[in-house]
Amino acid sequence: MGSLDSDFSTGTFLSDKSGKIFVAGHLGLVGSAVHRRLASLGFTDIVVKSRTELDLTRQAAVEDFFSSERPRYVIVAAAKVGGIHANSTYPADFIACNLQIQTNIIDAALKCGSVKKLLFLGSSCIYPKMAPQPITEEALLTGPLEPTNEWYAVAKIAGIKMCQAYRLQHGLDAISAMPTNLYGPRDNFHPENSHVLPALIRRFHEAKVNGAKEVVVWGTGSPLREFLHVDDLADACVFLMDSYSGLEHVNVGSGIEVTIKELAELVKEVVGFQGELVWDKTKPDGTPRKLMDSSRLASLGWTPKVPLRDGLVETYKWYLRNVVKQ
């Protein structure tokens, strides 16, 4: 079990454009960006399956898929995701579905014998709630998790450890990357379940359309947050597939912090809302600061390229084309 085919090219990932790549979760925010990036680089054999075509929570179906397709590379961007409300309401779904998806894929990747390299994508929520800032990779498992999403976080931690275990015991070249807060095309703009940046885009747009005189935002605006355009993450994934093979997971962030107030003012400008921005200081701010330490990735030679304002302009255009028209 797990012996590699003998017909692999000896070059790097980027020189193997004809190698078959399975992108799990290609319809999501991250998976779609990875798919776009691979296609733009000239990869000619990208395999994707929708949830109706392949249920990744079913072990037998995943094993059959790997046995028949025999991919050379695997990028695991598939996951059950949601906001605080969803995590709190469906904790069993979040831990079970994510454990099933990643376990089935990683195990089938080993068993089929064709996979040369696998990349597992996690989330910054794997780190302790009170981790020292900026958060280094070494902070993993050093303290309690944020209770509102611990079910998802525990599953993602298990995915990191599974990649490490399969590397140590079976020699599977499985690596893990942990991105910071992401945004971009295919983000979730749901009025109740979206994250802060798409939520602001939607609220300012609706206020502009409705002629509202003000938009109220919770808190003081002082917390610091880091954002990374999903196309930068996709580029980092390709870089890691090509340049990194190690036991430890790697943080992927922009390294640039903005206050929520600065972010709101920028979104207001990009959307073109002319009214007032009002801060409801009776509402909680949340964590004062959340910044990833991405120096390990930077030392390997990768840096992000998409400025926040440019990324917001592109994301707003996508929102207008794909969400508003619905």
Side-chain angles (χ1 to χ4, degrees), residues 77-304:
K80 181 176 178 59
V81 297
I84 292 174
H85 175 73
N87 274 269
S88 300
T89 307
Y90 307 106
D93 291 354
F94 274 87
I95 193 166
C97 289
N98 284 298
L99 285 172
Q100 289 164 349
I101 290 168
Q102 63 206 35
T103 300
N104 290 342
I105 293 175
I106 296 168
D107 193 58
L110 175 71
K111 287 178 178 176
C112 76
S114 66
V115 175
K116 186 176 182 181
K117 191 162 193 174
L118 178 147
L119 170 62
F120 172 74
L121 284 159
S123 163
S124 60
C125 72
I126 64 167
Y127 292 115
K129 180 178 181 178
M130 303 307 294
Q133 305 287 322
I135 307 172
T136 65
E137 289 89 349
E138 289 73 25
L140 184 65
L141 296 176
T142 59
L145 299 166
E146 164 57 52
T148 58
N149 60 13
E150 65 176 327
W151 319 107
Y152 178 78
V154 166
K156 287 298 182 181
I157 293 169
I160 296 172
K161 292 302 176 183
M162 189 170 180
C163 286
Q164 292 175 343
Y166 274 51
R167 173 181 289 274
L168 291 170
Q169 185 173 336
H170 299 296
L172 180 66
D173 191 0
I175 60 174
S176 300
M178 300 301 119
T180 188
N181 300 310
L182 300 170
Y183 73 99
R186 289 189 176 271
D187 208 338
N188 173 20
F189 292 88
H190 190 278
E192 296 175 0
N193 297 330
S194 58
H195 293 122
V196 60
L197 203 155
L200 286 172
I201 289 176
R202 182 175 189 127
R203 290 174 66 186
F204 279 119
H205 173 78
E206 291 179 347
K208 180 179 76 169
V209 170
N210 295 328
K213 294 183 178 180
E214 65 180 36
V215 168
V216 178
V217 183
W218 281 19
T220 64
S222 63
L224 289 160
R225 293 294 182 267
E226 174 188 28
F227 295 93
L228 182 73
H229 193 281
V230 72
D231 285 351
D232 271 335
L233 173 61
D235 187 65
C237 288
V238 172
F239 177 85
L240 289 167
M241 287 290 287
D242 190 62
S243 306
Y244 181 71
S245 179
L247 187 67
E248 299 304 320
H249 64 283
V250 179
N251 286 345
V252 184
S254 65
I256 299 172
E257 293 177 289
V258 295
T259 66
I260 296 298
K261 185 177 188 301
E262 290 169 335
L263 180 69
E265 294 284 0
L266 187 55
V267 173
K268 175 186 172 184
E269 175 194 336
V270 167
V271 171
F273 174 64
Q274 300 297 320
E276 295 297 317
L277 182 57
V278 178
W279 294 93
D280 183 355
K281 297 180 181 179
T282 66
K283 297 296 193 294
D285 267 336
T287 305
R289 187 187 189 200
K290 187 178 180 183
L291 175 67
M292 301 266 277
D293 183 336
S294 300
S295 57
R296 176 177 292 172
L297 181 56
S299 70
L300 296 172
W302 184 87
T303 54

